[in-house]
Amino acid sequence: MIKRLGIVGSGIMGSGIAEVAAKAGVEVILRSRQQQTADAMVAGLGKALDKQVERGKLGEAERDQVLSRVTATHDLHALTECDLVLESVVEDLEVKKELFRGLDLAVKDDAILATNTSTLPVVELAMVTERPERVCGIHFFNPAPAMSLVEVVRPLTASDDTISQAREFAQSCGKEPVEVKDRAGFIVNALLFPYLNNAVRMLETGTATRDDIDAAMKGGCNFPMGPLALLDLVGLDTSVAILDALYAEFHDPNYSAVPTLRRMVTAGHLGRKSKVGFYDYRK
Ligand SMILES: NC(=O)c1ccc[n+]([C@@H]2O[C@H](COP(=O)([O-])OP(=O)(O)OC[C@H]3O[C@@H](n4cnc5c(N)ncnc54)[C@H](O)[C@@H]3O)[C@@H](O)[C@H]2O)c1
């Protein structure tokens, strides 16, 4: 049973997963490269919980309990006693490999090391450790507190016990786990990203406007948000990284990121996190 969780990475996903796990009664240690960023993340979580109290969705005592379960660190060795460490840093294989090497040395031998990667080969992370059987993917969705799905990714190297503990952890967080083999994009992103990429292509070719593309998919398919708004939520840098990993594995032209996406990333238009993407969030 997972009693103590380490989360590495203080971006959109790391903070969302911290909230989910702490609410489920798990002790959470958040690790960022800088103490200041890790502290800011805990402060951000406090603010998010305050809002939930204001809206009557959370009691004050519960908020205090949740916050008391979360600590922040910059030191990988502070994760030594964790039962599970979930990595959620930038979608870059070399960065993640380096981190897994460090985690393997820092964290107790029987702990599970998991990745929240959207597309990268989990087996590559398993093989840089001395415990490949204890490595798997635990892929939460964005925003983690709201989305019910978790993809549990089974690389060739993972033991049955690791996979069943990962499933149990997801369930204990109130999520519904599905199991998937270690293939780029797993289930959801392999199916979703050709659609998102083609929506940008449609905008690029002037077939329809941004607002009409998003309105069409909301009204015509009953999707809660249109594809361009969803790309802004995911982050355009993360989206290009996901498409690149899918293209590298399958060579399907639908996975080849359209030029507009790359240009927007170069310009720093990353979506909500940079306050500008297909939409403007500065107002
Ligand atoms: N954004 C989504 O919708 C989504 C959904 C599910 C899974 N994911 C996956 O979660 C992971 C994190 O995504 P995110 O959206 O939270 O990204 P983000 O851009 O919000 O955060 C990335 C984090 O990585 C850290 N980082 C950057 N370079 C680093 C380095 N060299 N060493 C260590 N840390 C570094 C940053 O400081 C930041 O804390 C990625 O693997 C992504 O594919 C993202």
Side-chain angles (χ1 to χ4, degrees):
M1 186 173 165
I2 308 300
K3 291 188 177 155
R4 194 173 292 159
L5 169 71
I7 296 177
V8 184
S10 50
I12 307 173
M13 293 307 296
S15 45
I17 298 166
E19 177 179 335
V20 168
K23 279 186 174 165
V26 178
E27 193 186 317
V28 177
I29 309 177
L30 278 173
R31 188 268 180 180
S32 191
R33 285 170 296 174
Q34 283 157 357
Q35 185 67 40
Q36 227 180 349
T37 320
D39 290 339
M41 211 170 144
V42 178
L45 174 60
K47 277 190 193 155
L49 296 176
D50 284 346
K51 275 192 195 148
Q52 292 168 29
V53 172
E54 278 165 31
R55 290 193 209 118
K57 289 186 174 168
L58 191 73
E60 284 185 23
E62 202 184 346
R63 172 200 56 199
D64 295 345
Q65 269 177 3
V66 171
L67 268 182
S68 73
R69 293 189 194 112
V70 183
T71 51
T73 183
H74 70 281
D75 182 6
L76 269 194
H77 289 92
L79 307 179
T80 304
E81 290 304 321
C82 288
D83 307 304
L84 165 67
V85 176
L86 181 52
E87 164 282 312
S88 193
V89 304
V90 65
E91 187 77 338
D92 178 312
L93 188 57
E94 290 313 312
V95 171
K96 287 186 192 287
K97 275 185 175 175
E98 193 52 39
L99 185 58
F100 268 70
R101 282 188 199 101
L103 286 172
D104 193 34
L105 295 175
V107 183
K108 65 180 180 182
D109 289 345
D110 61 345
I112 295 174
L113 304 180
T115 173
N116 188 41
T117 181
S118 304
T119 39
L120 297 171
V122 180
V123 70
E124 298 243 13
L125 304 177
M127 293 310 287
V128 301
T129 73
E130 298 292 325
R131 62 180 99 186
E133 71 291 347
R134 305 293 284 162
V135 175
C136 68
I138 302 182
H139 184 215
F140 280 82
F141 285 77
N142 184 17
M147 303 298 279
S148 61
L149 182 69
V150 167
E151 289 176 327
V152 173
V153 185
R154 182 194 279 267
L156 286 171
T157 41
S159 69
D160 289 343
D161 178 60
T162 297
I163 299 302
S164 79
Q165 283 204 51
R167 291 185 76 110
E168 273 169 33
F169 168 68
Q171 277 161 343
S172 73
C173 289
K175 304 298 181 191
E176 191 181 325
V178 294
E179 192 179 316
V180 55
K181 283 185 185 164
D182 183 20
R183 295 285 181 283
F186 315 128
I187 300 172
V188 173
N189 287 335
L191 294 174
L192 176 66
F193 269 82
Y195 154 67
L196 297 180
N197 199 32
N198 279 313
V200 184
R201 199 188 314 278
M202 198 173 259
L203 182 70
E204 208 173 71
T205 54
T207 308
T209 63
R210 172 197 74 181
D211 290 350
D212 283 355
I213 292 170
D214 276 359
M217 295 313 290
K218 281 165 73 179
C221 294
N222 228 3
F223 288 173
M225 61 171 66
L228 303 171
L230 180 54
L231 281 161
D232 276 357
L233 178 73
V234 172
L236 303 197
D237 52 343
T238 302
S239 298
V240 168
I242 290 171
L243 283 162
D244 285 348
L246 283 162
Y247 188 77
E249 186 141 312
F250 300 115
H251 298 288
D252 176 340
N254 283 307
Y255 291 135
S256 174
V258 299
T260 296
L261 269 179
R262 290 195 195 280
R263 297 296 183 280
M264 289 176 74
V265 171
T266 306
H269 296 186
L270 307 181
R272 287 187 190 213
K273 64 182 160 189
S274 72
K275 305 238 185 292
V276 190
F278 290 103
Y279 293 81
D280 190 337
Y281 303 91
R282 287 169 295 193
K283 295 157 231 153

